[in-house]
Amino acid sequence: MAATTRRSVFLIGLAALAVWSLALAVGVWRWNSVLRVGPPGRSIFPYGELRVAIDPSNPPFAFPESESFAGIEPELAQAIGARLGVPVRLIPHGFDGLYDAIRADQADMAMAALVINPARSSDVRYSPAYFNAGLVLVVNGETPPASLSEAFSGRVALAYGSDEQTEAESWLRRVEPFEIAPYETREHALDVVRLGDADAALVDAITAGRYRAAYPGWESSLLQVSVVPYAAALRPDRPALAAAVERTLAGMLADGTLQTIISRYLR
Amino acid sequence: MAIILAAACLNALRPAPARASFGPPQQVITTDPQTCVHTRLTDEVEEWKVQRSLQEARELGAPTIVEFFPWAYIESAEDRYDWAAADRIVRHAENQGIRIIARMGLVPDWARDSDRLETSTLNTLPEESYADFAAFVADFAARYAAVIDQIIIWNEPNLAFEWGFSEVDPAGYARLLEAVYQAAHAANPNVEILAAPLAPTLEPEGSPAGLNDLLYLQALYDAGAAPYFDALAVHTYGFTSPPDDPPAPDKLNFRRAELLREIMIENGDAGKPVYVTETGWNDSPRWAYGVLPSQRASWTVRALQIAAEDWPWAETLCLWVLRYPAPSYSYPDDFALLTTGFQRKPVFDAVRAYTQGEAVPEERWLPPPAAPSS
């Protein structure tokens, strides 16, 4: 009798242990399968913050404002930090020292109008592009020309001695002749289009965006001519951080946050 | 076999690489021999672009260029030298009748602390490697003796990032000059060792970013550096001020070079020349320190006139920068006199007219429209 009781107790205990183990396994699996916001791991942010090198001499991407910094890149950095649940420290740097700041671990990331440069791919890992600073043709009206061949026609205004002039001269060899109208500044080139004295202005996307923001009532449209991708640069030996920034930027692109930030400065 | 033959045929059809054959030796014609331009030829891949750049420098009327010869590129492994890129630049410069001032820097991996390699930069030079750097400078001085007789030791050591993100250290830099000086002079008795140009900055003592250039230069003298340099290299930028703007210790402008000169005189170094190895203005439309292209052109010419008339102690006034091999697509590109595609900017035309004794060229752009933007 005593032996039978002991055996029953043993079997019940064994069954309970099996159920408990199963519940534990399911619980762990469920816990790990849920993406939850929590304190960032030390492996991603070894300093407990996201240190972002910026160049505050380059508006609208970054500039000083009331003892701090404003602009597209400081806003973007703060938004990334908020989504990752980590405080952001903005570190001002001159343009020349940005890549060295990453290498010397003075910053986790540089956001300073840096163009993806394949020659630096062994030194840094770039995020997806957050802005295209390439050349654009700006024309009157809300409907852009259907093609670049169509857009490079009539009278094209641009800044004298600029990359735009080189680009326009190269198009002269590809399409029907058009007139190049050189001005001292890109803003003057945009003025003549807005005032109806030229058919298009060939400028960089930043100049176009600032100018159009300054004239919100001007009905104009853009046609992209070249691609110059601005991206964040990160240390290549912190892939977890790079992946987190990439995921966050992708999310901000998908839900419109990125465009909302940019459109506060550029149209 | 057929595939190999087809590949060989296709390879034979590939265009030959662009060549840069030497023409007859040229001479720089200029009314202002102080005129100089800083080039960026070391990073240039295509030889014809090196040649074209130097032709443009000659047409600019610049008998002198400053060029960077990185230690890390030439001696990437200890005692193994690759002089090909440097030789190429030197040959083309000679062909165009242009003198070179060489800037030395960038530390190869083998000369850096192996324990800190992942977080050190090419500007990190441990003190135990000073002798290696001095040996490299001596090798360079010997190889190019009578062709390159001015050598700049390091760049802007008063900025933390140019000093490997270590605390800036005038006494440490003085010891570097001491290490280099004897070795270089032994290799080429005619060499002039130029103390590094300092970055124009107002950073106070204790700043993690760097140190005010005026304070740094005095500290360099206090550290006993005077016997170990033959001339001082100077960087002086105009930023948003015109060239005649008077200098002041709390102001960054073109004539700040005069304050550095005063410190030399106060320290008994009046007999040493100055080489202004970087100067100029930037015509970026957005950079906080940019000016209009027309201002940049006229101010640059006026700066050359000021140096010619009032700075007899200045051997050169070198404009930063002739051209970049590749654009950054940001405001630094607007320091260039030529775009990467060799498009001449207005400042180039203005300086060229000045050095050729021609009238300042008519503005080559159209007048702004009647109702311009504000």
Side-chain angles (χ1 to χ4, degrees), chain A residues 9-27:
Chain A
V9 169
F10 174 75
L11 286 173
I12 289 167
L14 196 64
L17 184 66
V19 169
W20 182 82
S21 301
L22 186 64
L24 182 68
V26 170

Side-chain angles (χ1 to χ4, degrees), chain A:
Chain A
M1 180 64 190
T4 308
T5 304
R6 278 200 302 275
R7 191 174 174 199
S8 298
V9 169
F10 174 75
L11 286 173
I12 289 167
L14 196 64
L17 184 66
V19 169
W20 182 82
S21 301
L22 186 64
L24 182 68
V26 170
V28 168
W29 174 73
R30 284 292 299 153
W31 177 267
N32 287 337
S33 67
V34 174
L35 185 64
R36 60 179 58 75
V37 177
R42 300 295 289 182
S43 62
I44 301 184
F45 302 108
Y47 299 93
E49 60 184 0
L50 178 60
R51 303 166 305 158
V52 183
I54 57 165
D55 177 355
S57 68
N58 192 23
F61 287 92
F63 52 91
E65 189 175 82
S66 48
E67 300 190 5
S68 184
F69 304 104
I72 293 170
E73 285 156 344
E75 282 202 39
L76 205 47
Q78 295 290 0
I80 290 170
R83 290 194 180 203
L84 293 173
V86 65
V88 172
R89 182 153 61 95
L90 300 172
I91 306 170
H93 257 286
F95 191 88
D96 290 348
L98 289 163
Y99 282 107
D100 274 4
I102 298 291
R103 181 170 177 91
D105 202 17
Q106 303 287 309
D108 302 302
M109 175 166 89
M111 292 189 104
L114 294 175
V115 175
I116 294 173
N117 180 354
R120 289 192 181 272
S121 58
S122 59
D123 301 327
V124 292
R125 178 166 164 171
Y126 289 104
S127 74
Y130 55 80
F131 185 75
N132 180 2
L135 300 182
V136 293
L137 274 165
V138 185
V139 297
N140 279 310
E142 291 185 341
T143 309
S147 67
L148 287 173
S149 306
E150 191 183 316
F152 277 107
S153 61
R155 191 163 192 263
V156 176
L158 44 72
Y160 174 82
S162 62
D163 288 324
E164 294 92 297
Q165 187 168 345
T166 307
E167 180 73 25
E169 286 168 357
S170 76
W171 276 92
L172 270 177
R173 297 193 290 270
R174 290 182 242 170
V175 298
E176 292 294 313
F178 60 89
E179 181 192 352
I180 292 176
Y183 289 87
E184 182 182 9
T185 68
R186 293 169 174 90
E187 285 75 13
H188 288 166
L190 288 159
D191 282 338
V192 292
V193 175
R194 183 174 55 84
L195 297 171
D197 291 338
D199 298 289
L202 181 60
V203 296
D204 64 274
I206 306 162
T207 302
R210 292 188 89 185
Y211 188 91
R212 293 172 78 228
Y215 292 93
W218 179 32
E219 286 186 4
S220 56
S221 52
L222 308 178
L223 193 62
Q224 201 75 42
V225 176
S226 62
V227 176
V228 174
Y230 283 0
L234 300 106
R235 280 183 69 88
D237 60 355
R238 299 219 179 107
L241 171 62
V245 169
E246 282 171 21
R247 272 200 312 273
T248 309
L249 267 175
M252 292 168 71
L253 181 64
D255 68 14
T257 306
L258 180 59
Q259 191 51 45
T260 302
I261 291 172
I262 291 172
S263 61
R264 277 201 272 275
Y265 301 91
L266 304 169
R267 179 165 78 99

Side-chain angles (χ1 to χ4, degrees), chain B residues 66-97:
Chain B
V66 178
E67 179 57 44
F68 188 27
F69 294 93
W71 180 23
Y73 294 8
I74 295 172
E75 194 184 0
S76 57
E78 191 169 7
D79 293 328
R80 286 176 56 193
Y81 297 85
D82 180 356
W83 297 103
D87 285 349
R88 187 174 73 173
I89 293 166
V90 169
R91 281 198 305 268
H92 280 290
E94 280 187 299
N95 186 241
Q96 298 299 324

Side-chain angles (χ1 to χ4, degrees), chain A residues 100 103-105 235, chain B residues 115-121 124 164-165:
Chain A
D100 274 4
R103 181 170 177 91
D105 202 17
R235 280 183 69 88
Chain B
D115 294 337
R116 288 188 57 234
L117 209 52
E118 287 305 308
T119 53
S120 66
T121 74
T124 308
F165 278 108

